[in-house]
Amino acid sequence: MAGLLGLYAKAGLTGFLRDGKGSLPTSEYRREAVLVDREHLAQYNKVCGFGLRDELPVTYPHILAFPMQIELMTQRDFPFALPGLVHIANSITVSGPLRLGEPFDLRVHAVDLREHERGKQFDVISEATVDGAVVWRDVSTYLRKGGGSGSPAAGERAEPPRPSAVWQVPSDIGRRYGEVSGDRNPIHLHPLTAKAFGFPTAIAHGMWSKARCVAALEGRLPEAYTVSARFKLPVLLPAKVGFSAQATEQGWQFALHDLRTGKPHLSGEAVSS
């Protein structure tokens, strides 16, 4: 986590060297025998709304893999500059629980560079393995804007679902999540640094929004499932948001929207696997 500040500095200083051409690197990053720190897990659970348990929240290993993702995306052979990449979706599949005190291995690699109507997209795959078997798999999809085929025709905006709960998202949630996750992107930390990147104020992390939604479903999800989220409009801090969840035959559908304007922040689903 401590090395992330240096990686962000490296990304800012070397971004101009990347032209967006070429293929994704084939390198894979690994950490072996990862053990979770109890205090750090408790801090993460508090920030995201999870209960205090020995079982790791499904989104928690993402922040352990995140420094490896950044290391991968700041190497010289990576085609895109880190500043400007947009995290547009995340899908996590678990086949069983990971627990505090039980070591596991982590590995990260990038795959599937492909076209997007607004540019190019690719996936960063993070996996946790126990005795060689994958027990947790995270697919983070990133978009590099520019040179795409153009946005598809926009349809009428659907009415937001009736909220199951209303959440007050404080202005410091970006700093608090950044502290526990290591993701100290300036757009999340302070209104002034966010304005430098074109945002009117600081915005919440997409993975905090997803974790907060999953926390609201805690105790109602099976042992093996896939939880996916598509990140839409950013949550401008502070905010009042509506969370909605509806049971389906396969699991749950959930969403997050701005309570005042009805604009969508996130849509997702959790289905048995």
Side-chain angles (χ1 to χ4, degrees):
M1 296 273 182
L4 276 171
L5 290 176
L7 290 174
Y8 279 131
K10 177 183 176 182
L13 292 172
T14 63
F16 70 95
L17 299 174
R18 305 169 196 274
D19 58 10
K21 299 178 181 179
S23 57
L24 296 172
T26 58
S27 51
E28 180 177 86
Y29 286 78
R30 295 176 178 240
R31 285 181 62 194
E32 296 182 350
V34 176
L35 277 171
V36 172
D37 179 79
R38 183 180 296 274
E39 182 177 347
H40 185 258
L41 176 62
Q43 292 172 347
Y44 176 87
N45 287 346
K46 182 177 181 180
V47 169
C48 297
F50 291 101
L52 298 178
R53 300 189 299 167
D54 284 348
E55 184 177 326
L56 307 187
V58 65
T59 50
Y60 180 80
H62 176 91
I63 68 169
L64 301 181
F66 183 72
M68 300 160 68
Q69 293 187 8
I70 300 301
E71 180 76 29
L72 172 69
M73 290 189 285
T74 53
Q75 292 305 303
R76 294 185 63 180
D77 57 350
F78 200 81
F80 306 111
L82 184 63
L85 289 179
V86 182
H87 192 189
I88 59 174
N90 175 267
S91 179
I92 300 174
T93 300
V94 289
S95 58
L98 289 169
R99 292 188 172 87
L100 191 67
E102 298 178 355
F104 54 89
D105 299 337
L106 279 174
R107 62 193 185 203
V108 168
H109 64 286
V111 298
D112 198 14
L113 180 60
R114 58 200 186 274
E115 295 297 320
H116 185 279
E117 61 265 15
R118 291 185 291 160
K120 292 184 178 180
Q121 61 184 333
F122 61 92
D123 297 328
V124 176
I125 310 296
S126 305
E127 294 176 324
T129 62
V130 176
D131 296 328
V134 176
V135 297
W136 177 92
R137 188 174 191 267
D138 174 295
V139 182
S140 287
T141 302
Y142 290 90
L143 167 68
R144 178 61 180 180
K145 293 182 180 179
S149 57
S151 299
E156 294 185 7
R157 184 170 64 86
E159 287 296 316
R162 186 180 184 88
S164 309
V166 174
W167 299 334
Q168 296 280 357
V169 185
S171 59
D172 66 347
I173 198 64
R175 292 191 292 276
R176 290 168 57 200
Y177 184 81
E179 189 69 27
V180 75
S181 69
D183 185 357
R184 296 182 179 89
N185 189 318
I187 62 176
H188 302 300
L189 303 182
H190 193 276
L192 292 178
T193 54
K195 285 177 182 177
F197 291 86
F199 294 95
T201 186
I203 65 173
H205 295 74
M207 286 303 296
W208 174 85
S209 298
K210 178 178 180 178
R212 184 66 186 87
C213 290
V214 175
L217 298 173
E218 197 169 25
R220 291 180 282 180
L221 298 173
E223 188 172 277
Y225 63 98
T226 296
V227 57
S228 303
R230 292 161 294 283
F231 304 121
K232 300 178 182 295
L233 298 175
V235 177
L236 302 176
L237 301 173
K240 181 183 287 189
V241 298
F243 167 75
S244 58
Q246 182 177 2
T248 67
E249 290 185 3
Q250 294 78 30
W252 290 88
Q253 289 184 338
F254 58 90
L256 204 62
H257 68 271
D258 185 280
L259 204 63
R260 182 177 60 86
T261 66
K263 292 181 178 179
H265 295 307
L266 173 153
S267 65
E269 61 181 4
V271 298
S272 299
S273 58

